[in-house]
Amino acid sequence: MITPNVRRRGPGTLLQSLASPRYLLSAWPWRSLAYQLTTLAVGGTLVVVASPVYAPWAVFVARLGNGYDAGSLTSWFLFGLLMVLCFAPLVAIPLGALERRRLYLVMPEENRSGHRPPPPGLWGWVRTRYSEAATWREVAYAAVMFPILGLSLLVTVSLTVATAILAAGPILLRDENEGPIALGWTTLTTPAEALPYALAAPLTAALLFYACGLISYGHGVIARALLVGPPKEELRAELDQVTESRARLVNAFEYERRRIERDLHDGAQQRLVALSMDLGMARVDLDEGSPADLRVAAAQAKADDLITEIRELVRGIHPRVLTDRGLRDALQELADHCPAPVTVETAIPHRLPAHVEGTAYFVVAEALTNVYKHARADAVTVRAHLAPGHPGAATPGAPGGPQDDGTAVLTVEVTDDGVGGADADRGSGLTGLRDRVAVMGGTMRLTSPEGGPTRIRVELPCGPIPANPTP
């Protein structure tokens, strides 16, 4: 039986390689040594660049040891805190970017940044960077770099010098002008005395490589914890969980709203209707125009007004026409009840999912309410059409536009010729609309210059287009 020639792969990570007996024969020792040497270079540069940030703290510690007065200590403490808050991120952000690139030497994985894309402009960059946790984790890493630099300097330099002296000892002592070599526990004066120690140089070199590997691994773990954002797979899994939970919340909210509507319609409203009928029957037994008749008539009028209010409330919770006849007729009913003249243009060939119809209906209802209350408009146009595509995509069929993959998007536009000046950041109603549309995975765009016109455009994903849609 002939076995295939399978190439054996080495350890995949630095930690696995350290636990392997073939560690010194792999590339990891040299990568770890390179990481330590570049740590010395980066740390030395950081000591110089970050001196304005840590200098006040050095003065604070020195004065604290000399027992200065509390006022001076407080001043230096506050000054040091101000330097950290203002200037430490300016040092830590480029340091973090450099360290994520250097981290590939010992952890060749996806070392992506945890920063968010900032808005355009200097102020947008400052506001984003100074308010996100990733920046202050980089500041913490810059502080941790100082003890790491000290440890790397002590171990790497001492073991490197010891290895070099042991290996070159016999050669150095051959020169009569060279003095003896002191090793701490003994002094070497002749090449013969240095030769046994030269044979131990490979052991110190191996100790150097293992020490570099251990320190590099610990340094890399700290760097990943403070500098590297979550991997794309984790973000994608969290996004899927959020999407699923959002869909469950939407369904639960829709179910609860329909339950409230049913309870009001079949419970309180029917009882009020019965009460109004009983009051009407009671008036038959009373003398017309008598005080008792007037009081019963007033009570019956109040009951009728309450019935009307409950009907309006039920219609606002979930209009019956939307359930029975669909979005087209529901939008037309909204237009009929609006004080301002409204033109409705729809191109919806079939019924849509209930949550899509409900969201579109309440978007138009809130927009028409805002027009009536604030816009002082003379004409309003409501357009709703269904088309293939995805929310926020280009127009299907246009050059560079999306291909028809069986999905549909409902686009709703409400335009008025009012005074304009609407701002979603200042209006709770518009903010609520945007949040409601976002929950459905849709997009909302508002344009409202001063003087008008105001246009609200909402795009809602409807899922796959059914093969035999219900008209």
Side-chain angles (χ1 to χ4, degrees), residues 409-429:
V409 171
L410 174 66
T411 302
V412 178
E413 283 189 358
V414 181
T415 306
D416 67 79
D417 61 353
V419 296
D423 188 354
D425 296 331
R426 297 198 306 262
S428 59

Side-chain angles (χ1 to χ4, degrees), residues 79 214 270 431:
F79 180 57
L214 290 172
Q270 297 300 326
T431 303

Side-chain angles (χ1 to χ4, degrees), residues 328-363:
R328 289 174 295 182
D329 293 332
L331 294 182
Q332 188 60 55
E333 184 185 65
L334 275 178
D336 295 338
H337 285 83
C338 183
V342 180
T343 302
V344 179
E345 301 175 4
T346 59
I348 307 174
H350 56 79
R351 293 296 300 269
L352 304 176
H355 61 277
V356 175
E357 290 187 336
T359 301
Y361 176 86
F362 287 106
V363 164

Side-chain angles (χ1 to χ4, degrees), residues 230-245 248:
K232 291 182 179 179
E233 293 77 11
E234 181 178 341
L235 291 176
R236 192 175 294 111
E238 292 180 358
L239 180 60
D240 292 340
Q241 292 178 0
V242 170
T243 302
E244 293 175 0
S245 63
R248 289 194 296 269

Side-chain angles (χ1 to χ4, degrees), residues 14 31-33 35-36 106 211-221:
L14 175 57
R31 296 172 69 130
S32 300
L33 181 61
Y35 191 66
Q36 289 304 301
V106 292
C212 287
L214 290 172
I215 297 175
S216 297
Y217 178 75
H219 187 182
V221 169

